[in-house]
Amino acid sequence: MAHNQPSVVAPYFRDIDQQREANTLGMWVFLATEVMFFGGLFMAYTVYFFNYPDAFHEGSRELNLILASINTFVLLTSSLTMALAVRSAQTDNRKWLIIFLIATIVLGLVFLGLKGVEYGEKFQHHLVPGPHFEWDGSFFYEVQLFFGLYFATTGLHALHMIIGVGVLTYFVFKAFRGHFTSVSYDPVEMVGLYWHFVDIAWVFIFPLYYLIDRTIQ
Amino acid sequence: MTVSSPPVKLEKPPQNYLNWAFGIKSWLLTTDHKRIAILYLITVTLFFALGGLAASLVRFELITPQGDLMSADNYNKSFTLHGMLMVFFFLIPGIPAVMGNFLIPLMIGAKDLAFPRLNLASWYVFMVGGLFTMTVIVVGGVDTGWTFYTPYSSTYSNGAVILAALGIFAAGFASIFTAINFVVTIHKMRAPGLTWFRLPLFVWAHYATSIIILLGTPVLAITILMVGIERMFKIGIFDPALGGDPLLFQHLFWFYSHPAVYIMVLPSMGVISELITAFTRRRIFGYKAIALSSLAIALLGFLVWGHHMFVSGQSVYAGLVFSAITFMVAIPSAIKVFNWTATLFKGTISFTTPMLYALGFIGLFTIGGLTGLFLGAAAVDVHVTDTYFVVAHFHYVMVGATIMAYMGAIHFWWPKITGKLYNEGWGISSAIIIFVGFNLTFMPQFIMGYLGMPRRYYAYPDEFQIYHIASSAGAAILAFGYVLPLFYLLYSLFFGPKAGDNPWNAKGLEWTTASPPPHENFEETPIVTEEAYAYPVPQKAEVTSGA
Ligand SMILES: [Cu+2]
């Protein structure tokens, strides 16, 4: 173990605590930029929701609430498995670390798969903005705007999921090779923070796009 | 006058970051913050030259009232290219990515930034952004102006807009990477004893700048992305014909782009605090006020973006509030200027090249700042909106101030970066030429702007010609002033005398290590026991060697 320690700490850090603190702060700072990044889309949503409430309600009714609810459940569960993976790394439990990482990946892929089904439905119903967009009711452009924002926001979210799944897959291989120990678990913790952020972003996206018109007939 | 180096120990290790490893690979794959700073220095200089070239096309066209040198379209493309390159590829990365990158670890006694690979990635992402922008030139340029206002940029302008937007997107992420590094490094990697209020003000300024970059740039990125989505899928996010709101674009754009002015100016202010203390040999007046005013500028700067939109049709009440906060943001800026002036007062000033740039900065920034108050007053702004008055104002603040500080910084830390001394005579001459050229270029623009000359026109009534000629003549002088340092600095690289560790006799950890610094910056981690700028208090008859 004593032989292992120097290779864990990068030469420009004083000790492992400094390195861990730097990594953690770096991740939080990065997540702050992510909040601002998504914030622009939420800003656009807010402006147009107040400009065109009726169109947004009508658009929202076209979204698949059942699939999205299942997805919400899947994603929240994946946050649990992610947290357990971090715990396993901290306690030197390699077997369960790998199991929980894989569980997180699988849940993430389920989410993306269901999201793909939803996107497919929209294609079939001609609800994808662009030349093939069709809308019989009033507010043609406004509803198209709703779907434009819907695809931009959920698409950006899905892109974040894909990146997360990619990193997690890479980490499974690293975990097999014993890279993560109770001393060097912080990469797992960092990707965990990222994963929770993506999860929280969905917790905001879900009600704003799917739930705004579910109380009215 | 050359500053003679004090006798230094001769057993100084000959190895430094420059001769630590050789070959192109050792540079392109380096994670040494000092080498990455050099990479940035070279690229940023190239972009500056290109942006300057575009500017000279503009100034050539404007010598005569008729549009005779180029077509209106090409004129639009020239000033757009000029703005894009200068803002996103020179002014924003300039001081942080070059000087900040090189100096922050040295100033806080660290071996490197917290995430060296992220730092290198930043340069590569920046280069990708530059590549996109170069491609834009090849495929025909964009003519939207650097502001990319919708629906013009999203609906009517040519297809290169997406490419240009991607270039800015990438440059933005490069600056985010740098900022993450700075914030984490300043928080977590300071040498023992180096408390927050012992930090050099350069570091404080970069900390505040990083916060702006981190909170502002992602908003610009997503805005650019939305313009791209609008162009590709014809969703009217910002197009009124499709239900969108073009004002939303302006709000989002200026939410970043006003603070972006502080991304350019705050690091400059940090540089000035270093220069003024070094060449008056005094502790800075009001250290805490200057440090905290950087943070105040960073925070207030996020609340004033609406002053770019007084005539856009935003609510009158919003305009009033934005105007009031704009006046407030002048306070922390003024605090700095007054404190610098107080530091100069009764100081022993040595008029070296960096100091001349620092004094030039104070002059230009004060003019730019005060005319900013004219523009912040909504009623006056209505009169001068989109005239050369605005052009002159933001050139004084963004260009005048930032370039003065950038040049000052390059000269001040040149001995540290390269280990060589440049020729003071040439340095002083070019500082004066730049100062004169700058004022001659932009002072006439205040006048013609106030008289009603609109910006972004390639032809104009005869009565404005005299001002345009003066401005173009100034630009020629300015260009000459910029070219000079290129020669004498490069000359010093090969033939300049050795600088020694601390040729200016300045305080600060970066001067305690060798010039050029060794790969790991310090042979052993320094321990800090005193305030920043702990120059001797001038009670006794003092004999200074630096002057
Ligand atoms: Cu502004």
Side-chain angles (χ1 to χ4, degrees):
Chain A
M1 214 62 236
H3 170 74
N4 204 8
Q5 206 122 338
S7 65
V8 173
V9 184
Y12 40 91
F13 286 116
R14 221 172 294 147
D15 49 40
I16 190 141
D17 289 333
Q18 191 187 34
Q19 171 169 298
R20 188 168 297 143
E21 282 178 24
N23 285 344
T24 311
L25 181 63
M27 197 63 207
W28 280 105
V29 170
F30 170 70
L31 292 182
T33 70
E34 287 275 30
V35 169
M36 297 307 285
F37 195 58
F38 276 94
L41 282 170
F42 284 123
M43 183 74 216
Y45 176 93
T46 311
V47 167
Y48 293 124
F49 177 77
F50 281 104
N51 280 356
Y52 314 121
D54 298 338
F56 271 50
H57 283 270
E58 286 192 26
S60 173
R61 245 173 275 158
E62 297 296 320
L63 298 178
N64 193 328
L65 182 60
I66 295 167
L67 283 183
S69 303
I70 296 171
N71 253 350
T72 308
F73 179 74
V74 167
L75 201 54
L76 289 176
T77 313
S78 80
S79 256
L80 174 68
T81 55
M82 186 67 239
L84 289 170
V86 176
R87 186 80 203 124
S88 308
Q90 285 169 337
T91 51
D92 270 326
N93 197 331
R94 196 192 301 180
K95 187 183 117 199
W96 281 101
L97 167 64
I98 292 168
I99 291 172
F100 282 128
L101 283 179
I102 291 177
T104 312
I105 293 169
V106 169
L107 289 168
L109 289 175
V110 169
F111 179 95
L112 288 169
L114 291 179
K115 200 79 221 152
V117 173
E118 270 194 84
Y119 282 179
E121 278 181 358
K122 297 292 162 294
F123 263 105
Q124 280 165 6
H125 300 160
H126 294 282
L127 289 173
V128 179
H132 301 297
F133 185 78
E134 286 172 17
W135 185 255
D136 295 333
S138 40
F139 313 121
F140 177 87
Y141 287 124
E142 289 82 351
V143 174
Q144 180 173 260
L145 189 57
F146 173 83
F147 280 103
L149 288 172
Y150 164 77
F151 276 105
T153 313
T154 56
L156 190 68
H157 179 262
L159 182 68
H160 278 77
M161 297 274 304
I162 292 168
I163 293 169
V165 168
V167 176
L168 286 172
T169 311
Y170 173 57
F171 276 23
V172 170
F173 287 106
K174 285 187 96 173
F176 262 115
R177 280 192 239 118
H179 273 271
F180 305 120
T181 63
S182 55
V183 189
S184 61
Y185 61 85
D186 33 333
V188 184
E189 196 179 4
M190 296 310 117
V191 77
L193 280 174
Y194 173 83
W195 193 262
H196 297 318
F197 165 79
V198 176
D199 192 0
I200 289 168
W202 176 256
V203 169
F204 282 86
I205 294 168
F206 177 58
L208 286 178
Y209 283 94
Y210 290 87
L211 298 183
I212 46 175
D213 195 42
R214 301 297 168 176
T215 52
I216 310 162
Q217 274 307 324
Chain B
M1 172 197 78
T2 18
V3 181
S4 60
S5 53
V8 283
K9 288 168 289 174
L10 282 172
E11 69 269 26
K12 186 175 60 175
Q15 207 184 51
N16 58 51
Y17 78 99
L18 291 170
N19 61 18
W20 184 71
F22 292 99
I24 192 87
K25 228 175 117 184
S26 77
W27 280 91
L28 292 181
L29 297 177
T30 182
T31 52
D32 185 339
H33 67 101
K34 301 180 287 300
R35 285 191 163 206
I36 296 169
I38 302 288
L39 292 177
Y40 258 117
L41 174 69
I42 295 166
T43 38
V44 151
T45 309
L46 286 176
F47 285 125
F48 177 74
L50 266 177
L53 219 60
S56 39
L57 286 179
V58 169
R59 280 323 320 167
F60 267 122
E61 168 58 53
L62 290 172
I63 291 174
T64 57
Q66 307 80 29
D68 34 21
L69 183 68
M70 51 178 128
S71 66
D73 268 348
N74 283 337
Y75 177 80
N76 291 347
K77 286 171 183 172
S78 298
F79 73 67
T80 302
L81 185 67
H82 163 66
M84 253 178 66
L85 284 174
M86 287 301 201
V87 170
F88 296 108
F89 293 91
F90 175 72
L91 291 171
I92 286 176
I95 296 182
V98 179
M99 303 314 297
N101 231 336
F102 195 96
L103 290 168
I104 285 177
L106 286 168
M107 283 181 164
I108 67 171
K111 291 196 182 98
D112 205 323
L113 290 169
F115 310 114
R117 277 182 298 176
L118 186 69
N119 197 18
L120 181 65
S122 155
W123 183 71
Y124 276 101
V125 173
F126 183 73
M127 290 308 282
V128 169
L131 211 66
F132 279 130
T133 311
M134 295 298 105
T135 319
V136 169
I137 305 176
V138 177
V139 300
V142 280
D143 57 355
T144 58
W146 76 279
T147 47
F148 291 95
Y149 269 18
T150 54
Y152 184 59
S153 61
S154 55
T155 311
Y156 302 106
S157 187
N158 65 28
V161 168
I162 291 183
L163 213 54
L166 279 175
I168 292 170
F169 190 86
F173 269 90
S175 71
I176 287 177
F177 291 173
T178 306
I180 290 177
N181 247 323
F182 286 177
V183 167
V184 175
T185 308
I186 295 169
H187 263 282
K188 298 293 177 195
M189 298 177 75
R190 304 190 307 273
L194 189 52
T195 58
W196 279 90
F197 285 112
R198 283 178 177 175
L199 284 174
L201 289 166
F202 181 90
V203 178
W204 269 100
H206 275 79
Y207 184 75
T209 309
S210 302
I211 290 177
I212 302 177
I213 293 176
L214 291 170
L215 297 181
T217 318
V219 177
L220 177 77
I222 196 73
T223 309
I224 289 172
L225 217 57
M226 285 194 266
V227 172
I229 291 171
E230 170 157 353
R231 281 196 75 105
M232 282 186 286
F233 303 107
K234 299 284 171 285
I235 312 161
I237 301 179
F238 302 122
D239 185 350
L242 302 175
D245 184 356
L247 273 200
L248 178 64
F249 174 85
Q250 293 187 26
H251 278 295
L252 291 172
F253 178 81
W254 289 114
F255 179 82
Y256 166 77
S257 292
H258 179 82
V261 175
Y262 298 116
I263 298 178
M264 308 168 205
V265 155
L266 273 173
S268 316
M269 292 169 155
V271 168
I272 299 311
S273 297
E274 302 299 316
L275 301 188
I276 284 187
T277 47
F279 295 109
T280 46
R281 311 210 54 74
R282 296 182 79 184
R283 286 156 198 252
I284 193 133
F285 189 87
Y287 172 93
K288 277 193 185 175
I290 296 184
L292 296 176
S293 65
S294 289
L295 291 181
I297 288 174
L299 298 179
L300 282 175
F302 273 114
L303 305 174
V304 301
W305 77 87
H307 64 212
H308 297 269
M309 300 169 60
F310 284 148
V311 297
S312 69
Q314 79 177 349
S315 128
V316 182
Y317 302 104
L320 281 176
V321 173
F322 281 125
S323 176
I325 307 176
T326 302
F327 287 127
M328 275 162 62
V329 84
I331 297 171
S333 306
I335 286 176
K336 285 176 190 281
V337 172
F338 287 133
N339 279 318
W340 291 325
T341 319
T343 311
L344 291 172
F345 183 64
K346 287 190 175 170
T348 325
I349 303 173
S350 17
F351 292 96
T352 56
T353 309
M355 189 59 176
L356 288 183
Y357 280 115
L359 296 173
F361 172 95
I362 296 180
L364 299 186
F365 179 72
T366 306
I367 296 173
L370 289 176
T371 50
L373 292 181
F374 292 29
L375 294 166
V380 183
D381 184 75
V382 171
H383 176 62
V384 290
T385 286
D386 277 342
T387 67
Y388 266 77
F389 192 88
V390 178
V391 175
H393 155 70
F394 72 69
H395 276 87
Y396 264 87
V397 174
M398 285 159 49
V399 188
T402 307
I403 288 197
M404 283 289 160
Y406 182 75
M407 296 296 280
I410 293 278
H411 284 82
F412 184 55
W413 283 290
W414 185 259
K416 182 52 64 185
I417 296 171
T418 64
K420 295 295 175 64
L421 291 172
Y422 57 88
N423 181 295
E424 269 292 319
W426 282 107
I428 287 172
S429 329
S430 80
I432 292 170
I433 292 170
I434 288 177
F435 185 78
V436 171
F438 184 88
N439 282 297
L440 187 56
T441 310
F442 293 105
M443 201 52 97
Q445 298 191 1
F446 276 126
I447 303 169
M448 66 173 137
Y450 198 79
L451 296 176
M453 170 77 209
R455 69 193 282 200
R456 294 179 171 174
Y457 277 54
Y458 84 136
Y460 54 84
D462 291 341
E463 70 219 65
F464 294 118
Q465 190 178 16
I466 178 76
Y467 304 109
H468 275 300
I469 287 179
S471 185
S472 292
I477 297 174
L478 191 56
F480 179 65
Y482 287 147
V483 171
L484 269 185
L486 221 53
F487 287 102
Y488 66 78
L489 286 179
L490 281 178
Y491 177 87
S492 79
L493 210 51
F494 301 102
F495 307 107
K498 276 211 165 56
D501 291 0
N502 189 0
W504 311 111
N505 253 324
K507 295 282 179 182
L509 285 181
E510 79 269 29
W511 299 109
T512 61
T513 188
S515 307
H519 172 67
E520 56 288 336
N521 289 350
F522 299 94
E523 277 160 53
E524 49 193 278
T525 306
I527 294 169
V528 180
T529 53
E530 54 181 19
E531 314 289 302
Y533 319 115
Y535 291 101
V537 184
Q539 297 298 27
K540 321 138 217 168
E542 62 166 350
V543 185
T544 48
S545 49

